[in-house]
């Protein structure tokens, strides 16, 4: 093992600094008068800082001799001259060379103490207002706090998020519970949090450690769609995760049941373990749905006469199944309508809306995503909202949970609620919806049961249908106006397990066979950049590339890099921000990948609001490296992101099929090449095809498409909603 050397010096210049991973390259003036280059984890390093470091000397092939820092201690400058260099270097937001000179001229070597302890004194300087003084002090405190926290955690991005939620008490919070780092709002892996916990002295067999591992397994599996985990599977997974005896995991489960963090019960012969909030969500949802199904609203109107009037008013003759759906909507407190593309769901929705209007019911329309809500508005001719916005979703003060403004204490004002794209609704969201409804409110659930299930826990739409408890209309007939669409016809064939003739390149459905990944990527880029915009007059921003997988040459990660290079190449007029390995550039198409209820946005009229949701797609319109933020235009609103929030954005030139749920695009290019078998399913192919409105182009190996059609396996989700709905005793 190489013996570590020690150096001491002052930062003379910062050559490079990456605030996402803390890596820095600096020029050091050593105490012995020499100057050297030092590299290593130096979060928010700035000129004037004094560094005492241990590490090793190395020779870089291009940059020569350097000192690689393994660990170091840092002190803020103490002399007036060094403090000026520190402040003038731009490390504190709002302070440049001129402001730094004024501050140091006034307070000398006490300047940093004033910034931290007496910021009001800054306002004594001409040109610094009280507001600016406050902002400068806040910036300094944040930098100092984040730096101390980063040195403690050795992970700058986690330090930024911890500081955002817990401020200067963040280190104390981590000491008290290191596993807070693995929570969703911080984003560290369990392994990273566990390593820190052990480093802080937590015993490997500590019951607190094992309890944290049990909770992690339940949270992790809820992200894979499970509402509960069988007890034996849970304790075995926990034992393997942290290397403890399974008996300790069983003890941890007992402890967590006693504290109420988890709930254990018997479901269909299984010993099921739930996170408490998922147990509450599932049981409440089942109870409320059964109560709604027992209530009837018939007798208020002559249904047949009403439908006849609707036909006359709209110049339409409803098919028998459509008349049945309208009649059931009039009679029942709860109804499900499910069907594939072209089966007339929109026609029924419009008729139901007219019927609700005649009954003088206040009706709300909602959908899981912004794009789905916008499409619903356009089709139905009335405003629709995202479910989260309708419910007034926001983060709790501790940043760990979502709370809804509309709930049992403050109900929604509607008499009827229609939800589209209901296959995307998970159990927690359905729970929130039902809690916010008045006792006599009607609810109509619309969607395609054959599409992929929700990203979140549960299989709500499918479970409701399969329970047989809720009146359900299954639409199977393709109406004449859609029958000529090969997209629609092929989608239904795929859903039935039949194989379309992919050699028939005509109409709105095409196949371009490319057996090699590289050739597939080249073709997709050419289609987006030139062929579709020039030959079919479809702009690039109305084309969506989809792939079953993120990984591989034809996965979304590589496709996004290639499409960014082709459609939004760098130039001097476009600002950029490097975040990890991703370059965000002005003009980039991006997608929000998690619900964030605290992001501030403004619409085109200047009205402000909060919240951007998983699946929202927009364009980067501004990057401000000095103020460390970027702006994303989501068509109906512009949202502001601090650089520490960029983990919530990904490029959206290409999306996985799962992320495309709830959206429709004018043209879809589907990349099909061999990937993990679990992703090559009929449901994935069906969902991808049904995203296209005018044009679908499959690029790749059509044998993959055939294998997907034959693979109707679905990953099992541990959900008991269907059982609870069907059981009269629950």
């Amino acid at each position: 093992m190489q013996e570590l050397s020690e150096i001491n010096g002052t930062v003379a210049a910062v050559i490079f600094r990456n605030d996402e991973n803390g890596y820095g390259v600096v020029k050091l003036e050593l105490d012995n008068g020499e100057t050297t280059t030092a590299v290593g984890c130096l979060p928010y390093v700035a000129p004037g800082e004094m560094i005492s470091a241990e590490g090793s000397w190395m020779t870089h092939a291009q940059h020569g001799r350097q000192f690689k820092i393994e660990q170091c201690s840092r002190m803020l400058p103490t002399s007036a001259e060094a403090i000026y260099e520190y402040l003038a270097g731009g490390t504190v937001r709002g302070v440049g060379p001129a402001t730094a000179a004024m501050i140091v001229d006034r307070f000398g070597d006490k300047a940093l103490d004033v910034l931290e302890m007496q910021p009001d004194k800054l306002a004594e300087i001409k040109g610094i207002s009280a507001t600016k003084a406050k902002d400068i002090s806040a910036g300094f405190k944040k930098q100092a706090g984040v730096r101390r926290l980063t040195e403690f955690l050795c992970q700058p991005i986690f330090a930024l998020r911890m500081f955002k939620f817990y401020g200067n008490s963040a280190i104390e919070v981590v000491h008290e519970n290191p596993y807070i780092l693995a929570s969703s709002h911080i984003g560290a892996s369990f392994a990273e949090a566990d390593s820190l916990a052990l480093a802080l002295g937590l015993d490997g067999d500590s019951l607190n450690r094992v309890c944290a591992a049990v909770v992690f397994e339940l949270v992790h599996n809820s992200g894979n769609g499970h509402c509960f985990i069988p007890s034996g599977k849970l304790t075995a997974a926990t034992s393997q995760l942290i290397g403890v005896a399974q008996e300790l995991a069983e003890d941890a489960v007992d402890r967590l049941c006693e504290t109420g963090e988890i709930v254990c019960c018997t479901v269909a012969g299984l010993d099921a373990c739930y996170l408490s909030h998922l147990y509450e969500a599932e049981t409440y949802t089942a109870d409320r749905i059964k109560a709604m199904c027992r209530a009837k609203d018939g007798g208020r109107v002559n249904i047949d006469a009403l439908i006849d009037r609707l036909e006359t008013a709209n110049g339409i003759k409803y098919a028998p199944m459509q008349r049945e759906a309208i009649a059931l909507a009039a009679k029942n407190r709860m109804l499900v309508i499910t069907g594939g593309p072209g089966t007339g769901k929109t026609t029924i929705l419009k008729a139901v809306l007219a019927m609700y209007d005649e009954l003088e019911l206040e009706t709300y329309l909602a959908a899981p995503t912004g794009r789905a809500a916008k499409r619903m508005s356009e089709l139905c001719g009335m405003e629709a909202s995202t479910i989260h916005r309708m419910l007034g979703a926001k983060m709790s003060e501790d940043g760990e949970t979502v709370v809804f403004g509309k709930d049992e204490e403050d109900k929604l004002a509607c008499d009827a609620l229609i939800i589209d794209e209901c296959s995307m609704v998970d159990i927690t969201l359905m729970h929130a919806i039902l809690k916010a409804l008045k006792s006599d409110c009607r609810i109509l659930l619309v969607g395609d049961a054959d599409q992929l299930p929700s990203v979140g826990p549960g299989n709500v739409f499918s479970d409701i249908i399969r329970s047989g408890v809720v009146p359900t209309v299954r639409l199977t007939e393709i109406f004449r106006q859609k029958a000529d669409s090969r997209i629609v016809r092929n989608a239904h064939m795929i859903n039935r397990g039949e194989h379309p003739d992919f050699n028939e390149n005509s109409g709105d459905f095409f196949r371009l066979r490319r057996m090699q990944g590289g050739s597939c990527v080249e073709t997709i880029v050419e289609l987006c950049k030139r062929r579709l915009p020039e030959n079919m007059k479809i702009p690039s921003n109305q084309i969506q590339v989809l792939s079953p997988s993120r990984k591989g040459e034809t996965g979304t990660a590589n496709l996004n890099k290639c499409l960014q290079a082709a459609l939004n190449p760098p130039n001097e007029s476009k600002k950029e921000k490097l975040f990890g390995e991703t370059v965000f550039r002005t003009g980039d198409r991006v997608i929000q990948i998690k619900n964030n209820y605290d992001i501030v946005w403004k619409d085109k009229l200047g009205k402000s609001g909060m919240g951007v949701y998983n699946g929202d797609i927009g364009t980067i319109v501004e990057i401000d490296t000095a103020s460390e933020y970027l702006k994303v235009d989501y068509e109906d609103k512009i949202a502001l992101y601090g650089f520490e929030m960029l983990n919530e954005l990904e490029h959206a030139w290409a999306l996985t099929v799962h992320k495309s749920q709830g959206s429709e695009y004018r043209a879809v290019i589907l990349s099909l090449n061999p990937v993990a078998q679990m992703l090559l399913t009929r449901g994935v192919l069906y969902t991808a095809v049904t995203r296209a409105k005018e044009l679908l182009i499959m690029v790749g190996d059509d044998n993959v498409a055939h294998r997907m059609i034959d693979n109707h396996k679905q990953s099992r989700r541990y959900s008991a909603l269907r059982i609870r709905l069907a059981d009269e005793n629950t």
Side-chain angles (χ1 to χ4, degrees), residues 487 507-508 510 532 536 538 666-668 692-697:
I487 292 174
D508 55 8
F510 296 85
L532 292 188
M536 303 194 71
I538 302 176
R666 186 177 173 187
V668 167
K693 292 193 293 184
E694 296 181 18
L695 179 67
L696 188 289
I697 303 177

Side-chain angles (χ1 to χ4, degrees), residues 643-658:
F643 284 171
E644 74 277 5
M645 300 161 60
L646 296 185
N647 65 305
E648 299 181 10
L649 292 175
E650 290 183 356
H651 284 126
W653 310 103
L655 299 176
T656 63
V657 177
H658 284 79

Side-chain angles (χ1 to χ4, degrees), residues 364-659:
Y364 287 3
L365 305 182
T369 68
R371 281 180 169 261
K374 183 179 181 182
R375 188 175 72 252
M376 195 181 189
S377 297
E378 293 168 349
L379 293 174
C380 295
M382 71 178 278
E383 184 179 357
S385 167
T386 64
I387 297 171
H388 288 89
R389 190 173 298 175
M390 177 184 70
L391 295 175
K394 61 181 181 181
M395 291 301 297
S396 60
E397 291 186 3
D398 61 9
E400 295 187 46
T401 57
V402 181
V403 294
F404 296 95
K406 295 296 179 180
D407 55 16
E408 290 172 310
E409 301 299 320
D410 185 11
K411 304 276 191 181
L412 292 167
C414 57
D415 305 305
L417 172 64
I418 301 176
I419 299 177
D420 199 10
E421 296 288 351
C422 208
S423 62
M424 298 180 66
V425 177
D426 64 26
I427 192 66
T428 57
L429 194 53
M430 181 57 72
H431 175 224
I433 292 167
L434 295 175
K435 284 179 69 176
L437 296 183
K438 297 184 296 186
S439 60
D440 61 347
C441 186
R442 303 168 185 236
I443 184 168
L444 173 59
L445 306 179
V446 184
D448 187 346
D450 296 311
Q451 293 213 15
L452 296 172
S454 61
V455 174
N459 205 3
V460 175
F461 196 52
S462 178
D463 280 352
I464 289 173
I465 294 170
R466 290 188 301 126
S467 73
V469 171
V470 180
T472 299
V473 177
R474 287 184 175 271
L475 303 173
T476 56
E477 180 185 354
I478 304 174
F479 286 88
R480 186 175 59 197
Q481 62 268 32
K482 295 290 187 179
D484 293 335
S485 168
R486 290 190 68 229
I487 292 174
V488 172
R489 285 191 282 118
N490 287 350
H492 284 271
M493 289 183 69
I494 291 166
N495 195 37
R496 294 192 298 266
E498 301 170 7
H499 293 252
D501 182 3
F502 294 132
N503 291 316
E504 182 189 347
N505 278 343
S506 63
D508 55 8
F509 195 110
F510 296 85
R511 186 268 291 155
L512 301 178
R513 194 174 192 192
R514 301 290 188 271
M515 303 302 292
Q516 302 299 319
S519 171
C520 180
V521 173
E522 289 176 6
T523 298
I524 290 171
V525 170
E526 180 69 5
L527 285 167
C528 293
K529 184 178 181 179
R530 186 182 63 81
R531 291 172 63 178
L532 292 188
E534 292 180 6
N535 300 337
M536 303 194 71
K537 308 306 178 186
I538 302 176
S540 296
N541 62 1
Q542 296 180 24
I543 304 167
Q544 185 58 62
V545 177
L546 300 180
S547 173
S549 175
R550 288 179 56 88
K551 300 178 181 179
E553 192 172 14
T554 60
T556 59
N558 185 56
L559 282 169
N560 270 314
K561 290 181 181 178
C562 296
L563 289 165
Q564 182 195 38
L567 303 178
N568 191 36
N571 66 48
E572 293 182 356
S573 66
K574 296 178 181 178
K575 290 190 175 181
E576 298 181 350
K577 171 60 184 176
L578 176 65
F579 185 84
E581 297 182 359
T582 301
V583 176
F584 290 106
R585 184 175 299 134
T586 305
D588 276 348
R589 189 176 184 183
V590 292
I591 182 172
Q592 177 76 15
I593 60 171
K594 61 180 288 188
N595 292 330
N596 187 322
Y597 309 94
D598 296 328
I599 292 181
V600 177
W601 52 261
K602 286 187 177 182
D603 64 17
K604 305 298 180 172
L605 300 175
K607 180 183 175 182
S608 297
M610 297 178 70
V612 179
Y613 306 112
N614 188 6
D616 287 352
I617 293 177
T619 303
I620 297 175
V621 292
E622 182 182 346
I623 297 177
D624 190 324
T625 53
S627 299
E628 299 186 343
Y629 71 81
L630 60 75
K631 290 181 180 179
V632 178
D633 186 347
Y634 287 105
E635 295 184 1
D636 59 337
K637 57 184 180 287
I638 295 177
L640 186 70
Y641 290 77
F643 284 171
E644 74 277 5
M645 300 161 60
L646 296 185
N647 65 305
E648 299 181 10
L649 292 175
E650 290 183 356
H651 284 126
W653 310 103
L655 299 176
T656 63
V657 177
H658 284 79
K659 285 183 180 175

